[in-house]
């Protein structure tokens, strides 16, 4: 048994890394456990085949995928399929070492969707128990402590902000210029989107060199503002913080009164250990956090920890994408990373469903072999001719479109499947609602209009509602709310059921607007950490 | 003790894959028929034999035909795939053993010859039957996939696999054994590596 600490945090990713730093800085004794290892510049293998993101399941650098199976099904009556975990990055920094780093703030109305638009039938759409104003200072802190580039005021639909971005936006590339021209022609409002990628020297790191290998790759110059490069090193410098890598938590342990007393985990040498702590914080991502709670059943908590509401694992949201493609009869070189350099938010609010639109990350040749209009040959001379003719004359419009929460979209424990450590694995039940598909189709129609205005000679869209499995952008599985009967967490990510147990990551999301989730999870990490620091100081969390 | 346990689950997972739970047909073939790949190794290969290599090169040359830039064969797609089968995609090797044999069997039935000895338009016809999932022959028939798994018949699934790997071998970084002299990158004007 390890020495008892003030707080143990499960997961050192996008949100957990921030919580670790905030609590360690406040003088609390912190142990942080992560399933993965450190990734460094030497992991920045920059060829397309090295990236699981661009070429799913190839030479992945995300170790242990095969040891992390999950099962998937569309609904209760569909067959279940077992597959490795997918695009979840285990490791210090979590997804922030690998992601595309889009760093949006949600808008004011995104926190009160139910009172603005009502609750569509079959959904559990609700207001958040906090507002944009509550989070604004924490968004700002995230942008400044991590390093987010962008241009304040350039987006007329963006939410109000008190300070500019700490570093200027990425320069516009040729695709961005074409996108902006087309969008303006349509009366839309293009602007450079925000990224957790620094564009000039900032806090000891150097700026982005605009290489074409960004989303799905470790940054070779550390310009991506991962928590592993920013806040976690600060936590380590406090002297009261320990990060243990390659530690796999199987359950949260409770005492005979039902309060949590620590976590049990397998360490690097497969030894089963116990880490006692006054406070347990789970920041393992919306799939894994719910899994740990559900796997932590006990006599007092027969349905899993903090699950008296039966809401743990439910209301899973993942975004329903919208993707459209166009080919042109002139060159639009797309080799300056990260790729998206102009966006519009004209369709990201003011409606139940919608999302930002931008041109996508730099495309690479293998992925491009699958980018073809419907009916085009997949092989042979015509395929090669298309590859030659259009690789430099191609534009991909991408949006993360809002999807609705629903009770039947959920993660739960698969009754048969276990992972490489013998821990019961997740079963994911997931299907998009007709209203989600409608929203996706609406946004892809807007994408096609932009491509047309840009002069594309052939335009097509990906079918709406593909994908949707867990892997990235997962959220909602431990939703926040005022009513303990209908939600898992209060507005500070503290479980309603157990006062010294918190879940701080995208699990808490109540609804999911059409913007990437990370910066909001990070703002919430600052907001919740503030609360924990106050409560700790007052002694409220120190009982027993 | 703990290590043994973890190994057990690892093996269990592999077994599940073998039973088709992960959508693999070739492994069934392997378990039922072949213990190891027989025949003389093809020149420069570590797994595929001479006959398999000849068939695979002919397929790769139809998937990406030569013009003023190399086809799949001259770009070294064979070596890319052989590398993959002995390394990061070893789980696909029995799909290839069965699939390449299946392609030759279908060629015999349709045109009375091995695939590599067919005329170009005959080869295309054989591949089109694979693509539609209608390839004839005992091998394809025996390895129909369990219901509810990846859609398509066994011949279609093998075709998808070989198209995917040929594209990768032709357009991936040359360090993986294909894309000889980066000619595909020159062809499309791809920057390939980041500038410094």
């Amino acid at each position: 048994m390890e020495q008892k600490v003030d707080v143990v945090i499960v997961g050192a990713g996008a949100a957990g890394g921030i919580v670790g730093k905030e609590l360690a800085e406040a003088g609390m004794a912190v142990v942080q456990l992560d399933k993965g290892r450190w990734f460094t510049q030497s992991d920045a293998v920059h060829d397309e085949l090295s990236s699981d993101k661009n070429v799913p399941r190839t030479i992945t650098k995300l170790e242990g995928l095969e040891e992390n199976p999950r099962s998937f099904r569309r609904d209760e009556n569909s067959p279940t399929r077992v597959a490795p975990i997918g695009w979840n990055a285990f490791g210090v920094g979590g997804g922030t070492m690998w992601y595309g780093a889009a760093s949006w703030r949600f808008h004011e109305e995104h926190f009160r969707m139910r009172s603005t638009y009502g609750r569509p039938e079959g959904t559990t759409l609700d207001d958040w128990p906090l507002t944009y104003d509550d989070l604004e200072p924490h968004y700002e802190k995230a942008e400044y402590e991590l390093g987010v580039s962008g241009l304040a005021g350039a987006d007329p639909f963006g939410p109000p902000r008190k300070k500019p971005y700490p570093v200027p936006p990425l320069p516009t590339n040729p695709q961005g210029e074409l996108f902006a021209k087309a969008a303006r022609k349509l009366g839309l409002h293009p602007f450079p989107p925000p990224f957790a990628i620094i564009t000039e020297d900032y806090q000891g790191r150097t700026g982005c060199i605009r290489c074409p290998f960004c989303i799905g790759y470790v940054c070779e110059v550390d310009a991506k503002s991962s928590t592993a490069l920013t806040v976690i090193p600060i936590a380590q410098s406090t002297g009261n913080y320990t990060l243990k890598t390659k530690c796999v938590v199987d359950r949260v342990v409770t005492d005979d009164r039902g309060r949590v007393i620590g976590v049990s985990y397998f360490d690097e040498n497969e030894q089963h250990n116990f880490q006692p702590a006054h406070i347990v914080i789970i920041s393992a991502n919306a799939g894994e956090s719910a899994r740990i709670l559900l796997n932590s059943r006990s006599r007092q908590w027969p349905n899993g920890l903090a699950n008296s509401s039966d809401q743990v694992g439910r209301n899973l949201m993942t975004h329903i994408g919208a993707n459209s493609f166009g080919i042109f009869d002139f060159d639009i070189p797309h080799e300056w990373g990260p790729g998206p350099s102009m966006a519009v938010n004209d369709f990201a609010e003011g409606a139940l469903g919608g999302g930002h639109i931008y041109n996508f990350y730099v495309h690479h040749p293998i992925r491009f072999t699958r980018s073809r209009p419907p009916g085009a040959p997949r092989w042979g001379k015509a395929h090669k001719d298309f590859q030659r003719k259009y690789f430099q004359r191609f534009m991909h419009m991408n949006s993360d479109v809002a999807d609705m929460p629903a009770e039947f979209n959920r993660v739960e424990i698969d009754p048969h499947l276990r992972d490489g450590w013998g821990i019961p694995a997740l079963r994911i039940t997931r299907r998009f609602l007709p209203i989600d598909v409608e929203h996706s189709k609406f946004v892809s129609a807007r994408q096609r209009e932009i491509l047309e205005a840009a002069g594309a000679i052939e335009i097509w869209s990906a079918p709406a509602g593909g994908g949707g499995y867990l892997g990235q952008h997962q959220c909602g599985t431990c939703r926040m709310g005022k009513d303990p009967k209908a939600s898992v967490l209060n507005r500070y990510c503290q479980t309603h059921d157990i006062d010294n147990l918190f879940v701080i990551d995208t699990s808490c999301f109540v609804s999911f607007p059409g913007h990437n989730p990370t910066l909001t999870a990070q703002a919430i990490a600052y907001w919740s950490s503030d609360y924990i620091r106050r409560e700790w100081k007052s002694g409220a969390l120190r009982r027993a | 003790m703990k290590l043994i346990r973890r190994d057990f689950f690892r093996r269990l997972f592999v077994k599940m894959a073998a039973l088709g739970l992960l959508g693999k047909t070739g492994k069934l073939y392997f378990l039922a028929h072949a213990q190891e790949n027989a025949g003389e190794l093809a020149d420069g290969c570590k797994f595929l034999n001479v006959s398999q290599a000849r068939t695979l090169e002919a397929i790769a040359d139809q998937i990406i035909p030569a013009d003023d830039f190399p086809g799949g064969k001259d770009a070294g797609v064979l070596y890319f795939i052989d590398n993959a089968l002995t390394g990061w995609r070893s789980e696909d090797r029995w799909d290839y053993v069965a699939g390449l044999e299946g392609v030759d069997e279908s060629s015999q039935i349709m045109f009375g010859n091995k695939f590599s000895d067919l005329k170009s338009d005959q080869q295309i016809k054989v591949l089109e039957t694979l693509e539609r999932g209608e390839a004839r022959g005992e091998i394809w028939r025996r390895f129909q996939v369990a219901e509810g798994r990846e859609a398509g018949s066994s011949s279609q699934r093998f075709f998808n696999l070989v198209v995917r790997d040929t594209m990768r071998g032709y357009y991936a970084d040359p360090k993986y054994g294909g894309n000889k002299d980066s000619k595909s990158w020159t062809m499309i004007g791809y920057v390939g590596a980041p500038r410094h």
Side-chain angles (χ1 to χ4, degrees), chain A residues 180-451:
Chain A
K181 218 170 94 186
R184 279 193 204 100
K185 214 194 280 182
L186 295 168
L188 306 176
H189 303 81
F191 64 95
F195 289 97
I197 295 172
I198 52 170
T199 47
E200 56 188 34
D201 290 1
Y202 188 70
Q203 295 178 346
R205 290 183 294 130
T206 54
C208 173
I209 57 167
R210 306 190 64 208
C211 91
F213 295 92
C214 194
I215 191 167
Y217 303 88
V218 170
C219 180
E220 67 181 90
V221 297
D222 287 347
K224 213 180 273 186
S225 300
S226 166
T227 53
L229 301 168
T230 51
V231 286
I232 292 171
I234 297 175
Q236 290 182 305
S237 70
T238 60
N240 45 302
Y241 171 93
T242 308
L243 174 62
K244 294 184 182 174
T245 55
K246 300 180 183 175
C247 289
V248 181
V249 171
D250 57 335
R251 52 187 287 137
V252 179
V253 182
T254 47
D255 63 15
D256 50 15
R257 289 171 304 157
R259 285 187 99 234
V260 304
I261 54 170
V263 300
S264 63
Y265 65 99
F266 293 98
D267 67 15
E268 195 175 347
N269 304 314
E270 319 268 337
Q271 294 301 312
H272 202 213
N273 288 341
F274 176 61
Q275 174 62 61
H278 288 286
I279 302 171
V280 173
I281 298 173
I282 317 280
S283 301
N285 93 31
E288 296 297 295
S289 292
R291 177 183 171 202
I292 291 170
L293 294 182
L294 293 170
N295 271 336
S296 303
R297 292 185 188 87
S298 64
R299 204 166 345 111
Q300 297 90 348
W301 305 105
N303 301 322
L305 225 49
N307 195 24
S308 66
S309 63
D310 190 34
Q311 290 297 308
V312 172
R314 294 188 186 275
N315 306 304
L316 169 68
M317 297 168 283
T318 58
H319 274 148
I320 181 167
N323 293 282
S324 301
F325 313 90
I327 48 175
F328 296 77
D329 58 8
F330 52 88
D331 284 3
I332 338 157
H334 198 38
E335 51 196 47
W336 295 101
S341 74
M342 276 289 168
V344 294
N345 257 340
D346 295 66
F347 311 108
E349 64 165 47
L352 199 50
H356 69 265
I357 300 176
Y358 54 29
N359 68 309
F360 202 55
Y361 292 80
V362 172
H363 61 278
H364 296 275
I366 300 172
R367 195 183 172 99
F368 188 67
T369 63
R370 299 192 302 273
S371 300
R372 294 293 184 276
R378 294 187 304 132
W379 57 285
K381 183 177 184 318
H383 183 275
K384 187 183 187 184
D385 288 347
F386 189 104
Q387 190 86 355
R388 292 183 68 163
K389 194 163 180 191
Y390 294 115
F391 184 72
Q392 302 287 357
R393 301 177 165 201
F394 171 76
M395 187 144 75
H396 173 183
M397 301 272 105
N398 167 263
S399 306
D400 294 312
V401 179
D403 56 342
M404 295 291 131
E407 283 213 331
F408 55 77
N409 281 326
R410 67 187 298 195
V411 304
E412 56 197 322
I413 302 302
D414 188 294
H416 310 297
L417 190 64
R418 284 165 185 261
D419 69 7
W421 291 265
I423 307 168
L426 282 183
R427 176 173 68 195
I428 292 136
T429 307
R430 174 80 176 120
R431 66 178 186 272
F432 288 113
L433 282 71
I435 194 175
D436 299 330
V437 174
E438 214 176 280
H439 292 150
S440 171
K441 285 182 172 165
F442 170 82
V443 174
S444 38
R446 306 290 80 75
Q447 295 173 339
R448 291 196 298 274
E449 286 166 2
I450 297 172
L451 285 164

Side-chain angles (χ1 to χ4, degrees), chain A residues 14 18 96 99-108 110-111 128 132 135-136 138-143 146-161 165 169-170 179 189-197 215 319 338-349 354-361 397-402 443 447 473 506 509 511-524:
Chain A
I18 288 168
T96 61
Y99 70 161
S103 286
W104 303 98
R105 295 180 176 203
F106 291 174
H107 298 185
E108 290 162 292
H110 293 150
F111 295 92
W128 295 50
Y132 175 79
L135 281 190
E136 200 284 334
H138 305 283
Y139 272 123
E140 181 184 294
K141 191 168 176 183
E143 288 166 349
L146 300 167
V148 174
S149 60
L151 185 60
D155 169 18
F157 301 98
R161 47 184 306 131
Y165 285 93
L170 286 151
F179 176 99
H189 303 81
F191 64 95
F195 289 97
I197 295 172
I215 191 167
H319 274 148
S341 74
M342 276 289 168
V344 294
N345 257 340
D346 295 66
F347 311 108
E349 64 165 47
H356 69 265
I357 300 176
Y358 54 29
N359 68 309
F360 202 55
Y361 292 80
M397 301 272 105
N398 167 263
S399 306
D400 294 312
V401 179
V443 174
Q447 295 173 339
H473 294 209
T506 55
F509 286 17
S511 60
F512 201 13
H515 283 131
N516 307 56
T518 306
L519 190 73
T520 297
Q522 294 177 318
I524 288 171

Side-chain angles (χ1 to χ4, degrees), chain B residues 33-51:
Chain B
H33 300 274
Q35 290 310 307
E36 57 185 43
N37 198 18
E40 188 195 337
L41 273 183
D43 209 17
C45 287
K46 290 167 286 186
F47 177 72
L48 294 168
N49 66 32
V50 173
S51 154

Side-chain angles (χ1 to χ4, degrees), chain B residues 20-127:
Chain B
L21 286 171
L22 296 177
K24 290 269 168 277
T25 44
K27 282 213 178 70
L28 278 177
Y29 178 86
F30 166 57
L31 292 172
H33 300 274
Q35 290 310 307
E36 57 185 43
N37 198 18
E40 188 195 337
L41 273 183
D43 209 17
C45 287
K46 290 167 286 186
F47 177 72
L48 294 168
N49 66 32
V50 173
S51 154
Q52 291 160 344
R54 202 174 293 140
T55 306
L56 182 53
E57 285 195 317
I59 295 172
D61 238 15
Q62 286 298 349
I63 291 171
I64 305 176
D67 45 21
D68 49 323
F69 279 89
K73 179 182 174 185
D74 287 344
V77 165
L78 168 67
Y79 306 107
F80 170 88
I81 292 177
D82 189 71
N83 267 339
L85 297 182
T86 50
W88 71 93
R89 290 300 298 194
S90 59
E91 71 265 38
D92 291 340
R93 53 168 69 182
W94 305 108
D95 286 321
Y96 270 94
V97 170
L100 292 169
E101 201 182 325
V103 171
D104 275 335
E105 191 191 1
S106 298
S107 304
Q108 283 289 355
I109 294 169
M110 286 176 73
F111 299 109
N113 229 331
K114 291 185 69 170
F115 185 82
S116 56
D117 293 332
L118 300 183
K119 291 187 200 130
S120 178
D121 59 330
Q122 293 174 325
Q123 289 181 336
I124 291 174
K125 286 207 173 75
V126 171
L127 293 179

